Amino acid sequence: MLYLGCHLSSTKGFLHMGEEALSIGANTFQFFTRNPRGSRAKAMDEQDAAALRRFMEEHGFSAFVAHAPYTLNACSANQQTREFALETMTDDLARLEYLPGNLYNFHPGSHVGQGAEEGIRQIAAALNQILQPGQHTTVLLETMAGKGSEVGRSFEELRAILEQVELKDKMGVCLDTCHVYDAGYDIVNDLDGVLREFDRVVGLDRLRAVHLNDSKNPMGSHKDRHEKIGQGSLGLEAAVRIVSHPLLQGLPFCLETPNELPGYQAEIALLRSRFQR
C-alpha cells in the first residue's frame, strides 16, 4: 500500500483534514500542532478527534504526522527557549493522546555555538522529561540539512540522541528527502546505499515516516529549500524510486513541497501513476 499525503491546515478541525486529504487522493496527511511560528494551540475538541479516528479507519489511512512548530529549540543556549520547547512538546503529546497511534515529528534544534555534543545531550534530556511509558504517540527526530548549527545533520547525530533516550520504544525518525540530500546523502544515485547506511547507523526499524520533497539546491549544499516534485535537483525518477522502494513500503509519505491543494493533488496523482509495486 502506498500512503501519500501532504501538509494540511488544521484550522477547520481534525475531521476536515481527513476529508480534505481524501478529496485530493491522499490516505495520510501532516499538520502543525499549533501556529508553526508561534505558541498558541486551539482548544481540544474530543468529538472531532473521535470523528477523525473513525474516518481514518473507514478509509484505510495510515498514521498521520503531527509536526511541532518551527520555533521549538530543545538545545538552545537560552534556558527559557529550552523550557518553552519542553512545555510545548509536553502539551502537544497530551493532546495527541486523543488521537492515539500516530506520529509527532520535530526538528531536533540548533546548538547555537554550544557544540553538537552538548546539543545532543540537551535534546535527549528534554525527551527523557516529556516521554511517558503509557503514551500512544511515537516521537520522531527529523533528519536535517545541516544549515548553521543544526543538530541531526547526520545519521550518527540522530543515533547519538536516540542512544541517550531512556524510553527508546517511544522514538523514531522521519527522513526528509530534501534535507538528507542537502546534507550530502546521495539518494538520487545511491538510494540503496543510503538506506543501508541508515540501517547500519540508526536501524530501519526506527524509520517511521518520510517527508517527500525535491530540493532547490544540489547535494551537500546544506541549504534546506524545498522544491516541487520533479522540478529540483532530485528529480521525478528519484521520487518514484523512493516511494517504490521495498524497504519503505507502508510508511506515510508526506509532501512538503511549495504547493496549494491543487498542486498537491497533481503530485499525488503523478506519484501514484508511477508507483512500481
Side-chain angles (χ1 to χ4, degrees):
M1 175 68 75
L2 176 59
Y3 295 107
L4 271 174
C6 63
H7 197 96
L8 299 174
S9 170
S10 62
T11 55
K12 294 183 180 179
F14 292 123
L15 179 58
H16 182 267
M17 284 192 290
E19 293 171 339
E20 196 167 55
L22 188 67
S23 75
I24 61 169
N27 51 2
T28 188
F29 59 92
Q30 177 177 269
F31 66 94
F32 281 117
T33 57
R34 58 193 69 214
N35 187 318
R37 301 290 178 185
S39 62
R40 305 185 73 177
K42 289 175 58 179
M44 194 67 194
D45 185 333
E46 296 181 37
Q47 290 185 339
D48 188 30
L52 175 61
R53 292 201 305 271
R54 292 191 296 270
F55 183 88
M56 290 175 65
E57 183 175 355
E58 178 183 352
H59 294 283
F61 274 49
S62 78
F64 64 66
V65 181
H67 200 305
Y70 294 137
T71 48
L72 302 191
N73 187 0
C75 62
S76 171
N78 182 287
Q79 182 178 349
Q80 287 184 320
T81 302
R82 294 197 305 272
E83 289 175 352
F84 171 72
L86 194 70
E87 292 167 3
T88 300
M89 294 174 74
T90 299
D91 184 52
D92 281 349
L93 288 175
R95 291 166 176 271
L96 286 169
E97 284 300 294
Y98 291 99
L99 292 156
N102 290 291
L103 307 166
Y104 179 61
N105 179 72
F106 78 106
H107 293 185
S110 297
H111 61 73
V112 201
Q114 300 180 97
E117 185 175 347
E118 176 60 15
I120 288 165
R121 186 196 67 78
Q122 291 178 347
I123 295 163
L127 288 166
N128 284 332
Q129 285 188 259
I130 67 171
L131 296 176
Q132 301 297 321
Q135 75 181 51
H136 297 91
T137 300
T138 300
V139 177
L140 307 183
L141 299 167
E142 184 170 339
T143 59
M144 303 308 295
K147 66 181 187 295
S149 62
E150 281 181 340
V151 177
R153 66 182 63 206
S154 69
F155 299 157
E156 285 78 8
E157 288 190 355
L158 296 177
R159 179 181 65 186
I161 296 169
L162 293 169
E163 286 177 341
Q164 295 182 41
V165 173
E166 294 165 1
L167 296 177
K168 291 178 171 54
D169 62 318
K170 306 301 181 184
M171 293 297 303
V173 172
C174 175
L175 187 149
D176 186 298
T177 57
C178 171
H179 294 177
V180 295
Y181 193 65
D182 282 15
Y185 292 96
D186 192 357
I187 56 173
V188 173
N189 299 302
D190 190 21
L191 177 59
D192 285 341
V194 173
L195 292 177
R196 282 195 300 270
E197 180 70 0
F198 185 93
D199 191 34
R200 183 186 70 81
V201 176
V202 179
L204 278 168
D205 59 320
R206 294 286 184 200
L207 185 56
R208 300 295 303 276
V210 176
H211 285 163
L212 189 65
N213 305 303
D214 213 321
S215 174
K216 290 182 181 291
N217 294 287
M219 187 182 76
S221 62
H222 304 293
K223 295 291 187 182
D224 184 12
R225 294 195 64 203
H226 298 189
E227 182 55 281
K228 296 175 182 178
I229 298 299
Q231 297 185 27
S233 58
L234 275 76
L236 175 59
E237 296 307 317
V240 171
R241 287 194 295 271
I242 290 165
V243 298
S244 303
H245 199 286
L247 292 177
L248 304 179
Q249 296 312 293
L251 297 177
F253 291 90
C254 294
L255 296 160
E256 295 180 320
T257 51
N259 271 312
E260 301 296 332
L261 281 180
Y264 283 132
Q265 184 173 20
E267 287 183 336
I268 289 168
L270 174 62
L271 289 165
R272 288 200 188 284
S273 73
R274 297 291 305 278
F275 176 58
Q276 300 165 2
R277 297 182 186 277

